[in-house]
Amino acid sequence: MASGPASHKVFGDGICERFEYSGWVYHLGVNKIGREYCHFRFLSIRGKYLEMYKRDPQDNPGIRPIRRGVIGHTLLVEELGRRKVNRGDVYPLRFYNRLDEAKKGEIACATAGDARKWMEAFDHAKQVVEYELSQGASVRNKLNMENEIDLEGHRHRVRHYAHGLKRLIRIGQGPEMLVRKASGISGNGVETCYDADGGDAVEAHEWRCVRTVNGVRIFEDATSSTNGKGVLVKAVGVVDASADTVFEIVLNPDRHRRYEWDSLTGDLELVDSLDGHYDVVYGTFDPRYLTWWQSKRDFVFSRQWFRGQDGTYTILQVPSVHKNRPPRYGYERTKLNPSTWEMSDLSTSSSLNSARCLVTQTLEINPKGWSKWRNKNCPKFEKTVPYALLSQVSGLKEYIGANPALASVFSTTIVHSNSSDLSGANNEFEGAEGAEEFYDAADDSSSDEDNNENDNEVEVNKDMKTKVRNISWAVAGLSAKKTSAQESSVLDTLVPPINLNSDEYHGTMRRSKDELDKNCWSSPDGSGFMIRGKTYLKDSMKVKGGEPLLKLVAVDWFKVEDCASKVALRPKSLVQSDAGKKLPFIFVINLEVPARPNYSLVLYYAADRPVIKNSLLGKFIDGTVMYRDSRFKLIPSIVEGYWMVKRAVGTKSCLLGKAVTCNYVRQDNFLEIDVDIGSSSVARSVISLVLGYVTSIVVDLAIVIEAKEEEELPEFILGTVRLNRVQLDTAVDLDK
């Protein structure tokens, strides 16, 4: 994988240091006669331009791209999980224009890490566009004349251009890796977060280390061990490989590899794949490892996985049934304990080959035998399924330690060019008439060859020899209370505040009476959330949040046939009421929940004074779509509920504009954000899990405008909401 150095500041003082991201990918699509194709292509992102080649331009000087175009600020890129292409697993990315979905396309990567780095590359290119848009009308007009990428359109002639790039970042292992994948041959007094997993919300779990086995720590949740139900335990170990590598190994069902580290689920068979983030597997194991079992055992479980914006992978494993795998003669069907995997990269020294990650496996077990084993009085526990599951982390650690090539696959290096920094968008590319559309990009010299859609197609039954090269990579107890000084920097204290009387504002969901109340809402303080402190840019320290800046005055819970947008403009909306029109400012968040039927959770936050235009909130309110997308942050926390839902939702903050489609409506005294949760397959998967337990969970949400500059710190909690055991059938029909 490759990306720019984490500490690299892309923009500053009018100077933009240019990067080129490049590497081999699959180009997926459908040709004119409706036949699907899968081509080897070399992809390059230079500034805000994207190019596609048939061969590596570094090895073939003078070669021209077959496609090119601008990565505009309306481009959306979505990870589609994992897909099988010609018997090999790949990780596709779909990108499209949010204003014109006819402009779209798909590429696929050999590994999940490659997909992650290409996502970062596209995001970097969008930052270039955002920077140029901020430079004035002339640049804006130039960008408007340039056309955005489209991988599915017709290809026309393209000019050769581009110079002066300072760093070359190579993503992926080249054609040899793609061939192997396609063939199925994978190769200071500041209070920080209490949770050991380092989330952005304070979790209720109290993890206690009870054993250390083969360098892996075994924890139990002290709170669950006293409730008389199942005990929540986890195994935690540091593995000398990247999270990308570990994720690939855990998800890979190949028995020859699993036999080397997994004593329980080594024999796995993929039964069904429902989408890119969910599948069902069947497995068997020999009861000789568990001496009191007389018959062979088999099992079926589902796996659901996703990657967070911080690069952490989460895999949920739940016992399941499938019509294609009924009970098997001679085997006794057993249910494996529900469990989760989490893999997160650890910061390392500047050494290039020192990738390390923290691997955590969590499961719920029956307390019988656990307490005796914990106290070293019951060796029989070591012959149980839960112990075999907990041992997978140590097996994984030893397997990777014995196979250093697995970790060195992702070694990195930076290739420097001799060019100097560039100080303007106009100097980056040459060409008298600007950029053509990406799909208008066939070179004269290869036009005849390009008409054959079968060139370089992946053939899994054919020996393909490629030139194996050493491809390089590159990557180079204080609480934030709402003080009067902080409030004065956001809200205009020269204007007398109005009284926000809760009785004047009404929504379809009622306010809670107490903590045990159901199907209601409340607004907790921000002490349960961790936000960036004053010195975050220097030491990455976070502090507890304080009182929200805005007051939550009402909540609507609607059911709709199709996704409901621009709710604030509807006549019956609180914003359009007499009380709403008197408010200085209303911040409306419409969470569009995909289901049958669809739902909309609408939150209304009010300010008692006008917002200062030059404040961080003021800039967000009147900012561009790209600015808002890069700043609008949500922090979730499941306060009460099933532990697996807690692990799935997590406690990490999420920039919603980068995870799902957000549409903004700015009028009069309000800003509405319509959050289309259904626009992301990962978000759809998580929300479907949450809806299955929604009547028994209590969830807290915090809204934050992310601070990225020193003068914007410390962050503040904009608003919070607590949803208590919501009943789906109480949603009100929006159209009635």
Side-chain angles (χ1 to χ4, degrees):
M1 274 47 52
S3 72
S7 61
H8 171 64
K9 186 174 181 181
V10 180
F11 305 111
D13 301 326
I15 303 297
C16 173
E17 186 174 7
R18 303 295 178 181
F19 286 83
E20 176 186 359
Y21 297 81
S22 61
W24 289 95
V25 299
Y26 298 106
H27 179 202
L28 307 180
V30 180
N31 62 17
K32 295 179 181 178
I33 61 174
R35 183 175 182 271
E36 294 184 355
Y37 60 82
C38 177
H39 294 165
F40 289 139
R41 292 291 182 257
F42 190 88
L43 208 62
S44 172
I45 294 180
R46 308 183 181 197
K48 65 177 185 289
Y49 292 87
L50 187 150
E51 301 169 324
M52 180 178 284
Y53 297 85
K54 285 193 171 186
R55 291 176 292 277
D56 186 344
Q58 297 293 321
D59 296 338
N60 300 271
I63 188 175
R64 295 186 178 185
I66 59 173
R67 295 178 183 267
R68 77 173 295 257
V70 178
I71 299 175
H73 64 285
T74 57
L75 179 78
L76 295 179
V77 184
E78 179 186 4
E79 288 182 280
L80 299 180
R82 192 171 66 160
R83 181 189 303 171
K84 192 168 290 294
V85 176
N86 292 345
R87 298 191 303 170
D89 291 324
V90 296
Y91 296 83
L93 300 177
R94 179 174 72 99
F95 47 95
Y96 59 94
N97 188 319
R98 79 161 83 198
L99 302 180
D100 182 8
E101 292 197 17
K103 292 185 176 181
K104 59 185 179 180
E106 284 188 14
I107 62 173
C109 307
T111 68
D114 287 356
R116 175 172 62 86
K117 290 302 177 181
W118 278 114
M119 291 281 289
E120 294 175 0
F122 278 100
D123 185 64
H124 190 169
K126 291 179 68 174
Q127 291 181 42
V128 173
V129 174
E130 182 180 11
Y131 173 77
E132 294 186 357
L133 285 173
S134 67
Q135 299 307 296
S138 60
V139 175
R140 185 180 302 272
N141 292 336
K142 179 179 182 295
L143 288 173
N144 288 338
M145 293 191 313
E146 296 177 326
N147 297 300
E148 293 190 327
I149 60 173
D150 185 344
L151 282 183
E152 293 192 347
H154 180 60
R155 307 189 301 239
H156 295 296
R157 183 174 305 177
V158 63
R159 296 174 181 81
H160 189 55
Y161 51 82
H163 64 87
L165 294 163
K166 187 169 184 183
R167 298 189 183 211
L168 173 64
I169 297 176
R170 301 298 293 270
I171 303 178
Q173 292 290 303
E176 65 282 354
M177 170 64 81
L178 300 183
V179 172
R180 293 202 304 269
K181 288 294 289 187
S183 304
I185 309 175
S186 323
N188 73 37
V190 177
E191 277 188 289
T192 55
C193 183
Y194 295 135
D195 179 47
D197 297 326
D200 293 317
V202 179
E203 281 201 82
H205 295 298
E206 186 179 339
W207 293 107
R208 178 172 57 198
C209 183
V210 297
R211 283 280 194 99
T212 301
V213 180
N214 298 326
V216 173
R217 293 173 295 160
I218 307 297
F219 291 82
E220 72 170 356
D221 181 9
T223 58
S224 70
S225 63
T226 60
N227 62 13
K229 300 180 182 179
V231 180
L232 204 59
V233 299
K234 67 179 181 180
V236 182
V238 176
V239 177
D240 293 330
S242 68
D244 301 321
T245 302
V246 176
F247 172 74
E248 295 275 357
I249 294 172
V250 172
L251 218 57
N252 191 349
D254 180 65
R255 69 175 59 190
H256 300 293
R257 290 194 172 189
R258 296 192 77 92
Y259 278 173
E260 296 193 48
W261 66 273
D262 187 355
S263 63
L264 182 67
T265 61
D267 285 300
L268 290 184
E269 175 188 346
L270 182 64
V271 177
D272 196 4
S273 181
L274 304 185
D275 60 40
H277 298 274
Y278 186 97
D279 66 15
V280 178
V281 295
Y282 168 81
T284 62
F285 63 93
D286 194 320
R288 287 178 298 177
Y289 299 113
L290 307 170
T291 57
W292 54 83
W293 284 2
Q294 301 301 317
S295 62
K296 292 184 178 181
R297 297 285 175 129
D298 66 351
F299 51 85
V300 179
F301 64 87
S302 63
R303 305 184 300 182
Q304 183 177 354
W305 61 87
F306 45 86
R307 182 181 62 84
Q309 289 183 337
D310 63 344
T312 298
Y313 291 96
T314 301
I315 305 174
L316 311 179
Q317 299 182 163
V318 182
S320 182
V321 294
H322 197 279
K323 62 181 181 180
N324 292 340
R325 284 296 180 271
R328 181 177 173 183
Y329 178 77
Y331 286 80
E332 184 174 344
R333 181 63 53 91
T334 186
K335 288 186 177 180
L336 298 186
N337 301 67
S339 62
T340 66
W341 287 89
E342 294 176 60
M343 307 94 172
S344 56
D345 283 317
L346 297 174
S347 58
T348 60
S349 64
S350 58
S351 175
L352 294 177
N353 296 312
S354 59
R356 299 165 73 236
C357 73
L358 188 70
V359 179
T360 303
Q361 187 180 30
T362 307
L363 62 148
E364 185 177 15
I365 65 174
N366 190 308
K368 183 179 179 181
W370 164 255
S371 59
K372 291 183 178 180
W373 177 82
R374 179 191 60 193
N375 297 326
K376 303 182 180 180
N377 295 324
C378 184
K380 289 184 178 180
F381 180 74
E382 298 179 6
K383 296 292 186 178
T384 64
V385 169
Y387 184 81
L389 289 172
L390 288 172
S391 299
Q392 288 178 320
V393 175
S394 63
L396 190 65
K397 180 177 180 178
E398 292 300 315
Y399 169 61
I400 292 178
N403 294 273
L406 292 171
S408 64
V409 164
F410 304 102
S411 60
T412 63
T413 179
I414 298 177
V415 181
H416 293 271
S417 71
N418 295 324
S419 59
S420 59
D421 289 341
L422 302 176
S423 59
N426 294 333
N427 293 331
E428 184 182 3
F429 294 94
E430 293 179 337
E433 300 180 22
E436 289 82 6
E437 295 187 28
F438 189 78
Y439 53 80
D440 293 340
D443 185 13
D444 284 343
S445 62
S446 60
S447 59
D448 293 335
E449 182 185 3
D450 293 338
N451 290 330
N452 181 6
E453 290 292 350
N454 297 320
D455 65 316
N456 293 331
E457 189 166 355
V458 180
E459 294 289 348
V460 300
N461 297 320
K462 175 180 172 183
D463 262 343
M464 299 186 68
K465 295 183 179 180
T466 58
K467 178 183 177 183
V468 180
R469 297 176 300 145
N470 182 19
I471 303 293
S472 317
W473 300 81
V475 240
L478 295 177
S479 295
K481 295 182 178 179
K482 187 180 72 172
T483 63
S484 57
Q486 182 189 63
E487 186 172 354
S488 64
S489 66
V490 181
L491 303 180
D492 191 351
T493 56
L494 299 179
V495 178
I498 67 170
N499 181 28
L500 297 177
N501 187 350
S502 301
D503 295 334
E504 296 183 17
Y505 313 102
H506 305 282
T508 59
M509 183 180 287
R510 63 182 179 84
R511 190 189 304 265
S512 68
K513 299 176 182 178
D514 53 53
E515 292 184 359
L516 300 179
D517 204 358
K518 297 181 179 180
N519 197 41
C520 55
W521 65 269
S522 61
S523 182
D525 63 24
S527 61
F529 301 96
M530 307 301 297
I531 57 177
R532 297 181 176 185
K534 183 64 179 177
T535 60
Y536 179 81
L537 296 181
K538 299 176 182 178
D539 53 24
S540 300
M541 296 299 290
K542 293 186 178 182
V543 299
K544 283 187 176 182
E547 288 295 323
L549 182 73
L550 305 182
K551 182 176 181 179
L552 181 62
V553 294
V555 175
D556 276 328
W557 178 232
F558 295 126
K559 63 179 178 181
V560 293
E561 288 299 322
D562 298 316
C563 291
S565 60
K566 302 181 180 179
V567 175
L569 298 179
R570 294 175 179 260
K572 295 182 180 180
S573 170
L574 180 148
V575 177
Q576 302 302 325
S577 66
D578 292 338
K581 291 180 179 179
K582 295 177 182 178
L583 292 172
F585 175 71
I586 309 176
F587 191 49
V588 183
I589 299 177
N590 174 22
L591 299 176
E592 301 173 358
V593 181
R596 295 181 180 178
N598 295 305
Y599 299 95
S600 273
L601 181 72
V602 188
L603 311 174
Y604 301 90
Y605 295 94
D608 58 0
R609 290 185 173 96
V611 177
I612 298 176
K613 294 289 185 182
N614 291 329
S615 66
L616 178 60
L617 178 57
K619 294 176 182 178
F620 178 84
I621 292 171
D622 295 315
T624 64
V625 170
M626 287 192 65
Y627 182 85
R628 292 166 175 163
D629 282 349
S630 66
R631 299 294 186 121
F632 181 42
K633 186 160 66 176
L634 178 82
I635 306 176
S637 175
I638 304 294
V639 179
E640 178 183 320
Y642 183 40
W643 71 271
M644 186 164 282
V645 178
K646 291 184 179 182
R647 307 315 295 181
V649 174
T651 58
K652 299 290 182 69
S653 60
C654 174
L655 288 170
L656 285 183
K658 294 184 179 297
V660 297
T661 301
C662 293
N663 296 307
Y664 304 88
V665 182
R666 173 72 174 108
Q667 291 188 21
D668 303 324
N669 67 331
F670 74 89
L671 170 66
E672 176 180 335
I673 305 179
D674 296 323
V675 182
D676 183 6
I677 299 175
S679 62
S680 165
S681 59
V682 174
R684 285 197 305 270
S685 298
V686 174
I687 202 66
S688 65
L689 177 64
V690 172
L691 290 178
Y693 296 89
V694 68
T695 58
S696 61
I697 66 174
V698 177
V699 57
D700 283 1
L701 301 175
I703 308 299
V704 179
I705 307 301
E706 184 168 88
K708 296 184 176 181
E709 303 295 337
E710 187 171 357
E711 59 270 18
E712 298 171 347
L713 293 169
E715 289 181 335
F716 55 87
I717 301 289
L718 192 61
T720 65
V721 63
R722 171 169 292 178
L723 302 168
N724 293 350
R725 308 171 189 88
V726 175
Q727 307 292 321
L728 296 178
D729 56 3
T730 63
V732 176
D733 195 328
L734 179 60
D735 298 322
K736 291 185 178 180

